[in-house]
Amino acid sequence: MNKVGEMPDLGDFRMTRQRRVVYDVLIEDLDHPTAGEVFIRSKERMPGSSLATVYNCLETLTQVGIVRQVNVDRDASRYCPNLAPHAHFFCSKCQKVFDVDLKKAADAVSAWQLPPGSRVEQVEVAMKGACPECEALQSEGSETAGGASSVKSQ
């Protein structure tokens, strides 16, 4: 599987200037931006572009397999240029999205009890919770709140 920023064989696909700018925005921070965020970040490099242009570029890049569309619940779609097998972890506190790699020698398909004779073509796994930073902040807040209440009760 291709590494981030490494283009797969695209056949007759033409990488236009707009598509290149949108793709470059995606691989710069690897933070799974929404189309709106890509539009804002690309505005400096493509001053005359519209949000519709960005949506069209993202749709095309997704269709040819250079980018993956990531969805959680009913939130805005996010875009991921990481084509290696991985899952996504959504922090419900800070709203960041993280790539989660498989453990070495793990098989994402064999963990599921599939109907006999099934053939898996694609696996998409999304997890939700609190990232380490948010979890640490919450723990600090709990300790502070706990300490404050114990001081009041003395």
Side-chain angles (χ1 to χ4, degrees):
M1 195 52 72
N2 295 44
K3 295 178 187 171
V4 175
E6 209 175 88
M7 291 284 181
D9 180 19
L10 302 175
D12 292 336
F13 174 73
R14 202 170 115 247
M15 183 62 92
T16 63
R17 181 179 172 276
Q18 289 93 343
R19 292 173 186 160
R20 171 50 75 182
V21 169
V22 166
Y23 183 74
D24 287 346
V25 165
L26 293 174
I27 63 172
E28 282 170 3
D29 291 328
L30 301 175
D31 61 347
H32 307 83
T34 63
E37 292 167 336
V38 173
F39 172 67
I40 291 166
R41 294 176 195 178
S42 64
K43 203 69 173 127
E44 202 172 285
R45 292 177 246 179
M46 293 190 312
S49 70
S50 66
L51 184 55
T53 299
V54 170
Y55 270 112
N56 290 335
C57 289
L58 288 168
E59 184 177 342
T60 301
L61 294 173
T62 301
Q63 286 174 351
V64 297
I66 299 173
V67 172
R68 287 187 181 156
Q69 187 173 359
V70 179
N71 296 298
V72 151
D73 298 332
R74 301 185 119 221
D75 292 344
S77 293
R78 294 173 171 271
Y79 296 88
C80 178
N82 182 355
L83 302 180
H86 69 284
H88 290 100
F89 180 85
F90 299 86
C91 179
S92 52
K93 308 276 187 218
C94 66
Q95 307 300 303
K96 289 182 182 174
V97 181
F98 302 88
D99 284 349
V100 180
D101 293 325
L102 288 168
K103 290 182 178 181
K104 202 173 205 141
D107 177 15
V109 176
S110 64
W112 309 102
Q113 209 166 6
L114 297 168
S118 297
R119 180 175 54 89
V120 175
E121 295 175 358
Q122 184 176 341
V123 175
E124 291 188 30
V125 177
M127 296 169 261
K128 243 181 161 175
C131 71
E133 283 183 29
C134 290
E135 192 62 22
L137 287 173
Q138 186 170 339
S139 294
E140 287 174 16
S142 301
E143 290 171 15
T144 305
S149 64
S150 65
V151 170
K152 287 181 184 177
S153 63
Q154 287 181 340

